[in-house]
Amino acid sequence: MIRHTRFIVDPSLGKLCKWLRILGFDALQVREASSLKGLIPTEERQFLLTRITAVKGIPNGDRTIFIHANDPVGQLRQVIRQIGISITDIRPFSRCIRCNHATSARNKASALNRVPDHVWQTAERVDQCPECGRFYWRGSHSRRITDRIRQLFEYQDGS
């Protein structure tokens, strides 16, 4: 299942990594380019995303994807197209964009004095990362991101 796809992302693709996490994918960003050769994808639904030409030729079938675009949206479109991700495969806003752990819904009372007052008063739902403690909520930024996601998949479908 594509939803369980995991990514190893080279250090130069930080924005792509963030967008993969926004879409709900497990995306590990490697901090040192020299570590990439030791992280050859071995699992069936695991992919290495890189712009480093020295890594391009690692023999692992089609699980190393050499990213061509310079902009993060173009990079994300390439990954979506090459792997065949559809809008039904994603779970937006389900992972921490900072540390990659799955977030979970929290009682709003646990966010009191830990999120801005207007968020605590107006947000219907508050999620938290169990690893780093960061809080997430649906605000105007979420609507803009949702619109961007819709555009990504409309582009993919040719609509």
Side-chain angles (χ1 to χ4, degrees):
M1 173 177 255
I2 290 180
R3 182 176 293 162
H4 299 291
T5 299
R6 300 178 68 209
F7 297 96
I8 300 168
V9 184
D10 90 24
S12 70
L13 297 170
K15 290 181 182 177
L16 173 60
C17 185
K18 180 180 176 180
W19 270 100
L20 289 166
R21 291 174 181 172
I22 289 170
L23 293 179
F25 291 104
D26 182 352
L28 169 69
Q29 186 173 20
V30 177
R31 298 286 174 218
E32 304 258 343
S34 59
S35 305
L36 283 176
K37 287 194 177 187
L39 293 172
I40 298 171
T42 55
E43 300 172 18
E44 182 180 338
R45 296 299 311 163
Q46 187 177 51
F47 295 89
L48 172 62
L49 307 178
T50 188
R51 290 183 57 103
I52 300 170
T53 54
V55 179
K56 189 176 179 180
I58 292 176
N60 66 347
D62 57 354
R63 291 189 302 213
T64 295
I65 298 174
F66 188 77
I67 302 297
H68 300 282
N70 290 322
D71 68 292
V73 174
Q75 294 168 352
L76 190 55
R77 283 184 176 143
Q78 179 186 348
V79 172
I80 289 169
R81 185 181 62 253
Q82 275 191 250
I83 295 175
I85 298 170
S86 73
I87 200 159
T88 59
D89 295 319
I90 65 173
R91 293 185 49 223
F93 312 111
S94 62
R95 295 193 84 80
C96 179
I97 59 173
R98 180 179 291 158
C99 69
N100 195 37
H101 283 79
T103 58
S104 57
R106 304 300 277 173
N107 181 318
K108 265 181 55 171
S110 68
L112 182 61
N113 298 323
R114 298 179 76 191
V115 297
D117 289 341
H118 72 279
V119 170
W120 194 84
Q121 293 169 359
T122 61
E124 293 180 25
R125 176 182 171 151
V126 177
D127 294 344
Q128 186 177 24
C129 174
E131 183 67 20
C132 71
R134 187 172 185 178
F135 283 95
Y136 293 91
W137 58 89
R138 306 305 188 271
S140 60
H141 61 287
S142 300
R143 287 186 291 280
R144 287 190 302 272
I145 290 169
T146 300
D147 289 343
R148 174 63 59 94
I149 291 169
R150 192 174 304 111
Q151 290 171 356
L152 281 167
F153 287 96
E154 285 172 358
Y155 172 86
Q156 176 197 24
D157 295 336
S159 303

